[in-house]
Amino acid sequence: MTVMSMTTPSCPDLYWLPEAADFDGALRMFRNTELSGEENWVTLQTLANYRLDFMQTRRLDRVVSDKTGSLPGSVPRLRLAILGSSTLEHLAPAIRIGALRRGLLVEVHVAPFGQWRQQILDPASALYAFQPDAVLLSLDHAALLPTLPLNAPRIDVEAALDAAVDELAQLWHLLRDRAKAVVIQQTQWIVAPSLFGHFERTVPAAPAAIATQFDARLTVRAAEEGALLLDLRQATSGIGAEQIGDPMLWHHAKQTISPMAAPWVGDHIARILAALRGLSKKVAILDLDNTLWGGVIGDDGLDGVVLGQGSGTGEAYLTFQHYLKALRSRGVLLAVSSKNEQAIAEAAFDQHPEMVLRRDDFAAFEANWNDKPSAVRRIAKDLDLGLDSFVFIDDNPAERDLMRRTLPAVSVPELPEAPELYAKCIADAGYFEAVSFSLEDTKRNDQYAANRERKRRQFSATNMEDFLRDLQMVLTVSAFRQADLPRITQLINKTNQFNLTTRRYTEAEVRALMEDPSVLTYAFRLTDRFGDNGLTSIVIGRRGPEPGSLELDSWLMSCRILGRRVENAVLQVIVEDAKVAGITQLIGRYRPTPKNGLVKDHYPNLGFSLLEGATDPGETAWILPLENLSLPPVDHIAVMRGS
């Protein structure tokens, strides 16, 4: 008798997270402990930041569901609808926990099996009733790719592919117009078994050839239409598609994605959602010895450092530095926290002949013998960023453990022992996930460097007025423009401290505001003699229910330009336009969050008066009558109108 055995494919795990020594015990203790809403949130995030399997993910998800009602109202939230051609319910817990470890609370709606077209086409469907912020189209290759005879000529294949992508784009338009939601399109990541071997992609109608051509068209069209991609083909390229899909589960349960792989796939989905809410990390804080190079520079000296050509280990550290340099070029800030002598540590970057990174590549540099959590706090203060903006990269397990215990908001990857895997680990963890890329992103490090010079000049100036005049600031104002849409959306979703209402909008919602004649939109750019600060302030005004009133729906500003009285110049612009539009009063609201206490007196400082009885609980409302209003001049800032 022949016995057939089926082996379950190995599944990818979240190897960059630490293992949970007693996850079940920690979960039980948490269930049985009474905590405040903020403590619940911090503890849930801590539990999510362990290497969880499918069952542990589900158990934590149930606890999150029980605790949701007790979480602070300020917790970032997002509503995700999933439409697909396979069974997807098992992904929901993994997405929620993946988002939780990134500081985001996600509510998930899964459409009925296989009804993705019907849900999009029917304006009365449950999809639109759910009012999603984002929609994930999780379609398998059979639903995405056209099927043609193997002898179909290339012209017929190209026509079929164009038609398939056109249909998808039409559905994206419907979703954007009806739901005002961001569309996330999952790429096809498995194809039918090869028919021709390595000759496959030279036959136009062969499965692999169709898949390759479809991918190219889909990528271009998504960029044109503003849809995002969940690129599972790229994500699985290093682990193999067989690790997340099980043919038996497809045939028997119509599950394209194995439940055992759900935590990994859910984490990939969650990192896109977190990026939409501006929750991607902004700074990589790096140790030096045995992290950026091999050896201990204080003991081994410059010549003893292992870095560069001639040794496999030295080349591995060199590769990691190249990767970090590339991250910097796309806008990620780099910083150093090292137990070292400052002069010795800094000299290494300028004197070692194989060093890729230079001292000027770092926005902050802490090299001393103090504890590293204190150093990270100082870096956060210096850069005006929250601790949840940082990733701490250190080869020392003890330092990693101390950072996790002391500053749980800081992300700490479980760096592999082999430096050859450092870059892969940081990339796989998805800390720096992006949903847009602009010219301003490439200038971010230069902007922070210029800001350090401004601070130095401020401290040396004899008085503030002289310092502000010496900056030679020019504020350029325009309505929201299509070209600025990614940056505007990014600023709306990332700014926490100088943000009066902390309302978050998707790119589709911002586009709708641009097209609404009852809404006034302002985008402000600030330049000075040290350089271009970029697009740094956003104001959205809606005509209120009272005749002649303009409600300031959103007012936010980058912390890099605090203390320069830019807000006074911004108000002058708004008042000028409001008077021309026949508006007689401005209404501003302040919605407090744990991070925006900085602006609690923003409106009274600008001359607004408290408006009683016209606010939601926890809000304050402020009014500024415009009749006979005369604002003090802001002589140190020149204001220009852009097109």
Side-chain angles (χ1 to χ4, degrees), residues 226-285:
L228 301 176
L229 295 180
L230 172 64
D231 196 351
L232 284 188
R233 171 170 282 197
Q234 172 63 27
T236 60
S237 62
I239 61 171
E242 67 277 2
Q243 286 208 50
I244 68 171
D246 185 334
M248 289 186 66
L249 286 172
W250 167 248
H251 288 293
H252 292 279
K254 291 298 178 281
Q255 288 180 336
T256 306
I257 296 167
S258 161
M260 296 302 104
W264 185 85
V265 176
D267 193 81
H268 277 267
I269 297 169
R271 61 186 64 169
I272 297 175
L273 302 180
L276 283 171
R277 281 290 181 257
L279 297 173
S280 292
K281 304 303 178 181
K282 301 178 179 69
V283 187
I285 299 184

Side-chain angles (χ1 to χ4, degrees), residues 450-473 528-530 562-564 636:
N451 209 38
R452 285 199 304 273
E453 180 62 18
R454 293 183 192 100
K455 287 182 178 180
R456 190 186 69 78
R457 292 296 182 96
Q458 180 178 349
F459 291 136
S460 63
T462 55
N463 62 70
M464 180 58 71
E465 294 301 324
D466 287 345
F467 166 70
L468 292 176
R469 280 194 293 272
D470 186 55
L471 284 178
Q472 301 171 23
M473 288 181 281
D528 58 39
R529 70 186 189 89
F530 293 105
L562 290 180
R564 303 199 216 172
H636 62 279

Side-chain angles (χ1 to χ4, degrees), residues 38 227 355 423 486 489 510 582 621:
E38 186 63 34
M355 195 72 66
T489 307
V510 174

Side-chain angles (χ1 to χ4, degrees), residues 5 93 196 329 524:
S5 64
F196 295 92
S329 71
F524 294 90

Side-chain angles (χ1 to χ4, degrees), residues 365-531:
F365 202 104
E366 286 275 338
N368 49 54
W369 300 103
N370 299 324
D371 66 279
K372 293 195 175 184
S374 296
V376 171
R377 289 190 185 97
R378 286 191 295 272
I379 292 171
K381 183 177 180 181
D382 184 44
L383 298 180
D384 290 322
L385 292 171
L387 290 169
D388 56 0
S389 300
F390 294 92
V391 178
F392 177 74
I393 302 171
D394 196 310
D395 71 294
N396 189 328
E399 295 288 4
R400 297 197 297 261
D401 185 63
L402 177 63
M403 189 64 66
R404 292 187 186 109
R405 292 172 183 271
T406 309
L407 301 178
V410 176
S411 292
V412 184
E414 196 66 358
L415 212 60
E417 290 185 7
E420 293 83 356
L421 300 175
Y422 285 180
K424 182 179 187 304
C425 175
I426 302 306
D428 286 350
Y431 297 117
F432 304 108
E433 186 77 28
V435 292
S436 64
F437 181 60
S438 66
L439 180 62
E440 287 201 15
D441 291 321
T442 66
K443 298 178 179 178
R444 186 166 294 122
N445 280 275
D446 294 336
Q447 290 169 349
Y448 274 87
N451 209 38
R452 285 199 304 273
E453 180 62 18
R454 293 183 192 100
K455 287 182 178 180
R456 190 186 69 78
R457 292 296 182 96
Q458 180 178 349
F459 291 136
S460 63
T462 55
N463 62 70
M464 180 58 71
E465 294 301 324
D466 287 345
F467 166 70
L468 292 176
R469 280 194 293 272
D470 186 55
L471 284 178
Q472 301 171 23
M473 288 181 281
V474 177
L475 188 68
T476 304
V477 55
S478 65
F480 288 2
R481 300 178 299 188
Q482 181 65 34
D484 293 328
L485 195 54
R487 173 58 180 159
I488 291 169
T489 307
Q490 185 184 67
L491 200 60
I492 287 172
N493 285 291
K494 282 189 174 182
T495 307
N496 293 306
Q497 295 182 75
F498 195 114
N499 196 332
L500 275 298
T501 57
T502 319
R503 292 191 174 99
R504 309 300 194 187
Y505 292 115
T506 65
E507 189 169 311
E509 289 171 326
V510 174
R511 188 181 292 106
L513 291 171
M514 291 169 54
E515 298 168 354
D516 188 337
S518 69
V519 175
L520 295 180
T521 62
Y522 295 93
F524 294 90
R525 292 178 174 274
L526 185 70
T527 60
D528 58 39
R529 70 186 189 89
F530 293 105

